[in-house]
Amino acid sequence: MRRLIVTEFMSLDGVVEAPGGEPTHPHSGWTIPFSSEDLREFKLREAQEAGSLLLGRRTYEQFAAAWPPREGVFADVMNGLPKTVVTSRPHELAWNSTALEQPVRDSLARLKEGDGGPILVAGSASLVRSLLVWGLVDELRLLVYPVMIGGGLRIFPDDREKWVFELADLRRFESGAVLHTYRLAVG
């Protein structure tokens, strides 16, 4: 059974939108001033340990435009990982990607039952919200940055359901960003 790991850059006010320079938010690139060597090393190890990426369509398009021209170890890992994309336009995929079959929830459950390393979900706010509601997330890694950006896309459902998680790990990086790793509480 493969683990599904959601990894998100998050502001103090819970926003996951435009952390790296995407044009969708007035404070785009809000993570950039908080980069540090130990944080970059963690993100590289996280990608190296993944068996594949699961992406929503918009995140796929942003990543597919950003990563192929880049060079270096991290770019090599990102470009080499197999990608599964939740999309209604499978004919437009490239960059080592395949479309997830419909219905999405059932296909994701089958994907998790397969062989291989962890399935890493980055960005993809709408997809992550569904994964949480469906109970398919095995681990939630929230890399919280010491900045508030006044609103934007969030990953948490607004359905008034209660979800209890256990803190599995807590790590502070030199830049002031803090990684909170949670697993769904059993029982």
Side-chain angles (χ1 to χ4, degrees):
M1 181 84 134
R2 301 177 71 188
R3 292 182 314 131
L4 194 143
I5 300 170
V6 169
T7 182
E8 294 287 346
F9 295 130
M10 183 175 285
S11 67
L12 282 176
D13 49 350
V15 177
V16 298
E17 182 180 358
E22 304 80 357
T24 60
H25 197 282
H27 301 295
S28 182
W30 49 268
T31 63
I32 295 169
F34 303 99
S35 182
S36 62
E37 185 63 31
D38 58 341
L39 194 152
R40 289 187 298 275
E41 287 174 8
F42 165 75
K43 293 305 285 181
L44 174 60
R45 269 192 320 279
E46 181 180 63
Q48 288 172 326
E49 292 170 359
S52 65
L53 291 176
L54 173 64
L55 303 169
R57 181 63 189 216
R58 279 176 285 196
T59 301
Y60 162 79
E61 289 173 352
Q62 292 168 349
F63 281 16
W67 285 107
R70 294 184 184 179
E71 295 180 359
V73 177
F74 196 85
D76 291 346
V77 172
M78 290 296 286
N79 289 323
L81 278 169
K83 291 116 187 133
T84 304
V85 182
V86 178
T87 182
S88 60
R89 300 184 314 247
H91 58 282
E92 297 176 14
L93 296 179
W95 192 48
N96 198 21
S97 302
T98 58
L100 191 71
E101 294 180 19
Q102 301 290 333
V104 171
R105 185 177 183 176
D106 295 339
S107 292
L108 287 173
R110 283 192 301 277
L111 187 64
K112 285 184 65 173
E113 291 171 0
D115 294 327
I119 303 163
L120 193 63
V121 184
S124 308
S126 299
L127 172 60
V128 169
R129 195 172 307 109
S130 294
L131 295 171
L132 287 166
V133 168
W134 295 334
L136 294 174
V137 176
D138 297 300
E139 190 169 288
L140 185 57
R141 296 177 183 169
L142 306 176
L143 189 52
V144 180
Y145 287 77
V147 62
M148 293 190 334
I149 59 172
L153 292 176
R154 292 174 167 81
I155 61 168
F156 302 114
D158 193 19
D159 58 6
R160 298 197 181 254
E161 291 292 322
K162 181 179 177 181
W163 300 85
V164 179
F165 291 83
E166 297 173 336
L167 181 63
D169 193 24
L170 187 61
R171 178 175 176 190
R172 183 184 190 279
F173 294 95
E174 294 170 3
S175 65
V178 178
L179 175 67
H180 302 248
T181 302
Y182 294 98
R183 295 191 182 107
L184 194 58
V186 180

